[in-house]
Amino acid sequence: MEFSKILNKSEFLKANLVQLLAAEGEELDLLYEKATEVKLANIGNKVYYRGLIEYSNICAKNCFYCGLRCGNTTISRYTLKDEEVVEAAGIAFEKNFGSLVIQSGERSDRKFIQKIADLLKQIRDLSEGKLRVTLSMGEQTEETYQLWRESGAQRYLLRIETSNPELYHKIHPNDELHSYENRLLSLELLRKTGYQVGTGVMIGLPFQTLEDLATDLLFIKNHDIDMVGMGPYVENENTPLYEFRHLLLPKEKRLELSIKMVAILRLLMPKINMAATTAMQTLHPKGREMALKVGANVIMPNLTPLKYRDGYLLYDNKPNIHEETESSLQRLKKSIEDAGCELALGDWGDSQHFSERVSKDF
Ligand code: 5AD
Ligand code: SF4
């Protein structure tokens, strides 16, 4: 089908999405123009901050792509002290970010679960309930999700990584702890326990095809997801997947594919929240700006105390690990403006998709 006709459709078939993902030259310009138009018409040009706290790099899992995998003995492990979490949350509150993301390696022992619940309550107290909190702590039981929800978390990010079960099994160990089915179940439990639900995928993985990515987009749409964080796969030399780096697209093409994914998803889901992710910036200094221009509306400034930053290396060449908060915030604000967007402070920036979804349920 003719490219411009596809762009103006309201429903997209997988074949259409593959065609959009393959766009080059003038067609690619058309895709980006359309995505920008859809973004501005539906959610405007505001960009919301989520202050990011990388709480702990201790992880019970062993994903083949990630530097935090328990089998990686080259990093030293840390967990932030309570005071450090509270201080970082205080920065987000004082600076009027409106919201926080607490991310961690995956653990499901009682002590960890209770600690997160306690921290959530401390954050709720310090901000008088005025900060929205997103958790990103992997697969947990319904009881744990419920406990954390009641303790003050409103949003949860759990990436499906890839919606293709075969590819999922290629990039994870083949055991119960790394089950695709359980990941799906966890997404359902998050929905059931009342979170704004976020997911996402890695783009440009070894063995991944454009059909896989088209299916990822349809997965996100069909699961009626509220928020998305997706970005390029970036190799990490201390992980097993590094062996397949010869199969990867060059970095600029991997980034381009990620920006295309953002643009196309904005066409499919005009009202969701979508992050311009750090992995995009890792592949190109202006990677996040490109994403903001064509569809993203969320950025996560890192508030992790500097001394821990080199412990949270999911992939090689992660940027800003030595930069103080103040100067990185100034640069970030400029990037946002350069992308033609406006920084929104003092606003929760809830996903409009979520608000509409919830109001439909009543
Ligand atoms: N490249 C890009 N993203 C990665 N993640 C982990 N390792 C990598 C990598 N090598 C992402 C995954 C995971 C999140 C914590 O970080 O999507 O969900
Ligand atoms: Fe752990 Fe998440 Fe990394 Fe997997 S992707 S090793 S669960 S931190």
Side-chain angles (χ1 to χ4, degrees):
M1 189 191 287
E2 203 186 310
F3 194 82
S4 55
K5 283 220 183 97
I6 298 179
L7 276 181
N8 289 305
K9 286 175 68 145
S10 55
E11 294 285 326
F12 296 84
L13 301 171
K14 186 168 156 189
N16 301 146
L17 298 175
V18 170
Q19 207 172 331
L20 294 179
L21 284 165
E24 298 284 349
E26 278 175 24
E27 288 188 342
L28 186 53
D29 293 342
L30 279 179
L31 166 62
Y32 289 164
E33 265 169 43
K34 181 73 189 177
T36 306
E37 186 187 309
V38 169
K39 179 189 167 190
L40 293 178
N42 284 280
I43 55 163
N45 73 344
K46 290 213 169 120
V47 173
Y48 301 95
Y49 274 171
R50 301 353 184 164
L52 173 65
I53 302 178
E54 294 160 332
Y55 174 64
S56 171
N57 67 354
I58 299 176
C59 186
K61 285 199 171 173
N62 220 358
C63 308
F64 291 152
Y65 44 87
C66 174
L68 305 197
R69 64 198 306 270
C70 61
N72 182 9
T73 52
T74 67
I75 57 168
S76 56
R77 304 285 168 168
Y78 74 84
T79 300
L80 296 194
K81 299 194 193 80
D82 288 12
E83 313 82 90
E84 291 169 325
V85 175
V86 168
E87 193 181 327
I91 296 176
F93 184 54
E94 278 157 28
K95 292 191 176 297
N96 240 341
F97 283 8
S99 111
L100 263 188
V101 178
I102 312 178
Q103 211 170 66
S104 170
E106 192 171 313
R107 276 174 62 181
S108 42
D109 51 284
R110 275 266 35 106
K111 197 172 153 215
F112 177 79
I113 292 166
Q114 197 50 53
K115 170 58 74 184
I116 298 301
D118 291 347
L119 286 168
L120 285 166
K121 288 182 195 148
Q122 289 187 50
I123 293 169
R124 188 161 59 190
D125 289 347
L126 90 90
S127 66
E128 294 157 2
K130 291 195 185 103
L131 274 175
R132 280 274 195 258
V133 181
T134 305
L135 292 180
S136 180
M137 314 210 150
E139 293 162 42
Q140 304 288 345
T141 61
E142 181 173 349
E143 292 69 36
T144 302
Y145 287 147
Q146 186 83 45
L147 173 72
W148 290 346
R149 180 80 186 82
E150 284 160 7
S151 306
Q154 298 87 7
R155 307 172 177 149
Y156 204 103
L157 194 60
L158 180 71
R159 290 185 174 184
I160 186 75
E161 315 295 0
T162 170
S163 62
N164 176 344
E166 277 171 35
L167 180 55
Y168 192 93
H169 288 300
K170 277 194 189 139
I171 62 171
H172 294 97
N174 201 356
D175 60 26
E176 262 179 36
L177 196 59
H178 300 82
S179 137
Y180 176 82
E181 289 69 28
N182 197 57
R183 188 145 282 231
L184 282 182
L185 176 69
S186 297
L187 279 174
E188 276 170 36
L189 293 177
L190 286 167
R191 167 61 64 94
K192 186 174 163 201
T193 42
Y195 286 89
Q196 294 182 41
V197 182
T199 194
V201 294
M202 283 182 288
I203 299 155
L205 283 161
F207 322 112
Q208 194 179 40
T209 62
L210 290 188
E211 281 75 15
D212 288 332
L213 290 170
T215 312
D216 289 344
L217 292 167
L218 291 171
F219 175 95
I220 295 171
K221 168 100 179 154
N222 294 337
H223 283 76
D224 208 13
I225 290 295
D226 305 302
M227 349 180 273
V228 169
M230 58 184 172
Y233 163 70
V234 185
E235 53 275 49
N236 181 323
E237 61 175 342
N238 297 313
T239 60
L241 213 58
Y242 195 65
E243 182 190 332
F244 299 102
R245 62 192 179 283
H246 59 282
L247 299 177
L248 299 175
L249 286 170
K251 288 191 171 159
E252 56 283 12
K253 281 285 161 197
R254 238 181 297 156
L255 176 67
E256 184 182 275
L257 200 49
S258 308
I259 305 294
K260 284 177 181 173
M261 286 285 284
V262 168
I264 300 169
L265 190 57
R266 182 55 72 199
L267 301 182
L268 260 68
M269 304 188 79
K271 298 211 168 159
I272 58 170
N273 277 346
M274 223 188 312
T277 56
T278 314
M280 294 173 178
Q281 195 195 356
T282 304
L283 294 190
H284 191 285
K286 298 231 177 281
R288 288 191 298 190
E289 281 167 47
M290 296 179 203
L292 290 179
K293 272 190 190 142
V294 303
N297 66 333
V298 165
I299 282 208
M300 311 200 311
N302 198 338
L303 298 179
T304 311
L306 277 180
K307 66 173 170 179
Y308 298 111
R309 298 241 184 125
D310 58 359
Y312 211 86
L313 298 184
L314 306 166
Y315 39 75
D316 297 340
N317 305 316
K318 187 176 169 196
N320 299 342
I321 59 169
H322 301 300
E323 195 173 19
E324 294 289 353
T325 305
E326 272 312 323
S327 73
S328 78
L329 285 180
Q330 277 170 18
R331 278 195 316 116
L332 210 50
K333 184 159 186 284
K334 178 151 189 331
S335 306
I336 291 168
E337 287 162 2
D338 288 349
C341 300
E342 185 193 338
L343 175 60
L345 292 173
D347 190 325
W348 284 334
D350 280 334
S351 154
Q352 286 191 37
H353 182 88
F354 173 77
S355 312
E356 288 176 18
R357 171 163 80 72
V358 175
S359 66
K360 257 189 264 158
D361 291 346
F362 289 100

